Amino acid sequence: MMPLATIQPVNQSPMNNSWFTGVNDFLTMGLDSWMKIEQINAAKDSGKFGQQELSNTVQNPQTGVNQNIAAQMQQQMGKGLQIGVGTLAAVVGGVAVLYWLTRK
């Protein structure tokens, strides 16, 4: 017989697996790194040079380039909406036809 001190408890539940621990460590490291980068960017923007850069940056939404991009995006969204509605109508129509054919 083995003494009780040498018997190790077996924890083989899915929620207590080493894979979940590794994933948790990976996500924690990634989120910590992202938070550090955001803190560094916030510190840069709050400093003297960051404020000067923000004040010197031209942010005028009324330029011709921005208007052309907005118009192009509206056209693309309209075309996408037409394609989506057409696809939905075709699917619903196809299901309706199949239902009608199976009822006869």
Side-chain angles (χ1 to χ4, degrees):
M1 239 170 80
M2 296 178 68
L4 291 177
T6 60
I7 298 175
Q8 298 292 327
V10 178
N11 267 338
Q12 294 294 331
S13 70
M15 297 308 289
N16 197 10
N17 197 352
S18 64
W19 184 84
F20 286 110
T21 305
V23 170
N24 188 24
D25 290 343
F26 177 75
L27 291 175
T28 302
M29 182 189 64
L31 287 174
D32 288 344
S33 299
W34 178 70
M35 285 179 15
K36 288 177 186 175
I37 290 170
E38 288 296 318
Q39 287 175 347
I40 290 170
N41 288 336
K44 284 180 182 177
D45 290 342
S46 67
K48 179 176 66 172
F49 296 111
Q51 292 294 327
Q52 182 182 6
E53 185 66 29
L54 286 174
S55 65
N56 292 338
T57 303
V58 177
Q59 296 178 355
N60 187 1
Q62 299 302 325
T63 60
V65 175
N66 289 341
Q67 289 176 350
N68 290 340
I69 291 173
Q72 289 173 358
M73 288 183 69
Q74 286 177 348
Q75 290 175 355
Q76 289 174 352
M77 287 172 47
K79 289 178 184 176
L81 187 60
Q82 288 176 348
I83 291 171
V85 169
T87 304
L88 182 63
V91 169
V92 170
V95 169
V97 167
L98 289 175
Y99 176 74
W100 182 72
L101 289 174
T102 59
R103 299 279 295 160
K104 290 207 168 229

